Amino acid sequence: MIQFSQVVKRYPGGYEALKNISFEIDNGEMVLLSGHSGAGKSTLLKLIAGIERPTSGNVIVNGQHVGQLKEAALPYLRRNIGLIFQDHKLLFDRSVLDNVLLPLAIIGFKQQDAIKRASAALERVGLLDRAAVNPIHLSGGEQQRLCIARAIVHRPSIVLADEPTGNLDHAYAEDIMDLFESFNQVGVTIVLSTHDEGFLKHRPHRILRLKNGGLSQ
Ligand code: ADP
Ligand code: ADP
């Protein structure tokens, strides 16, 4: 479970990106985080992943006070989390498969197990037949699916995606949403941000709406 109580996030310089936010997300839920650019969506996701710490209030993820974790404990938290953030770029000096293998190598998987897992992740996002190519040859939608494979290859219980459909054509965006829903159906908790909830109207997920750093109903 993800729980925010009275969370304030003020950046150095004093800008208050989140203003006294409280909410809960249950295990296995899929929640959309909507709001205009600058509303605080990325900040909220970074707090869940322990990339930023709250200025005050509590962020609890799977029973752990993320804001109070020691730096050394963060890698363990993140083993349970898959991140799809715009600034996590693909590596274009290696193959599609190697991009997905990298997170497993960091965790210390044996090569043979890692290849099995990475292949399964690529199959899941429909890219197994492109495993050997360089990601530069993939379309925008395929590159996004590769980012998703890389984020889920270690089988996290929580997936956080910051505007994963942001610069994709409509059909690709629907494709990506279907993929997240398929992960959610096998029990993964998903939190996905968007500045455009319009195209998600036909999908029955709870929406958390951020406006100028506050939650609105
Ligand atoms: P969103 O993801 O909804 O576009 P962000 O969480 O990225 O919103 O940003 C919320 C506000 O906090 C913005 O005004 C942004 O400029 C500011 N902000 C984000 N990160 C930082 C930072 N590292 N330092 C200072 N201000 C920041
Ligand atoms: P996004 O589009 O994902 O919301 P941004 O373009 O707002 O990302 O931010 C890119 C990076 O710069 C993030 O790591 C964010 O924390 C940081 N950032 C955003 N706004 C500011 C700011 N006003 N001052 C310093 N860093 C910022």
Side-chain angles (χ1 to χ4, degrees):
M1 190 178 64
I2 299 167
Q3 187 179 23
F4 275 49
S5 18
Q6 302 188 309
V7 171
V8 173
K9 175 60 187 180
R10 204 174 294 121
Y11 281 110
Y15 187 80
E16 209 165 87
L18 293 178
K19 300 167 179 158
N20 201 18
I21 300 271
S22 301
F23 66 87
E24 282 179 14
I25 295 174
D26 284 336
N27 285 337
E29 236 193 309
M30 176 157 174
V31 169
L32 307 178
L33 182 61
S34 92
H36 57 89
S37 174
K41 304 181 298 296
S42 302
T43 300
L44 190 153
L45 295 174
K46 286 175 184 171
L47 287 169
I48 297 173
I51 297 168
E52 295 282 355
R53 291 175 191 265
T55 307
S56 62
N58 287 325
V59 175
I60 300 173
V61 177
N62 292 338
Q64 290 185 298
H65 279 267
V66 175
Q68 293 159 17
L69 285 180
K70 294 215 170 70
E71 205 62 37
L74 287 174
Y76 296 94
L77 170 78
R78 299 215 186 104
R79 277 181 201 187
N80 238 329
I81 299 183
L83 295 176
I84 297 138
F85 275 51
Q86 278 128 356
D87 53 2
H88 288 191
K89 304 278 186 242
L90 294 169
L91 301 173
F92 293 112
D93 63 348
R94 61 196 75 194
S95 70
V96 162
L97 179 65
D98 284 338
N99 268 269
V100 183
L101 283 172
L102 193 61
L104 296 177
I106 292 168
I107 299 178
F109 264 71
K110 288 201 203 93
Q111 178 79 350
Q112 210 180 356
D113 297 338
I115 288 174
K116 260 191 217 155
R117 281 273 192 112
S119 303
L122 284 173
E123 174 145 53
R124 199 73 207 282
V125 303
L127 286 177
L128 189 53
D129 59 337
R130 315 301 299 280
V133 309
N134 186 294
I136 202 107
H137 300 301
L138 301 180
S139 70
E142 286 171 334
Q143 289 190 6
Q144 187 61 295
R145 282 192 268 140
L146 176 53
C147 289
I148 294 171
R150 185 180 57 178
I152 54 117
V153 70
H154 60 301
R155 299 186 188 156
S157 63
I158 298 174
V159 168
L160 308 175
D162 195 11
E163 304 253 8
T165 57
N167 35 35
L168 295 179
D169 293 345
H170 192 77
Y172 278 140
E174 292 287 354
D175 215 34
I176 296 295
M177 287 301 298
D178 288 343
L179 199 51
F180 283 114
E181 285 179 0
S182 77
F183 297 136
N184 179 240
Q185 274 153 16
V186 295
V188 180
T189 306
I190 315 260
V191 189
L192 188 157
S193 78
T194 178
H195 64 272
D196 174 22
E197 65 174 82
F199 92 99
L200 299 170
K201 271 200 192 106
H202 58 293
R203 298 184 189 258
H205 305 295
R206 177 153 73 104
I207 303 180
L208 289 174
R209 292 194 175 83
L210 272 177
K211 197 174 172 190
N212 299 324
L215 274 183
S216 60
Q217 289 316 305

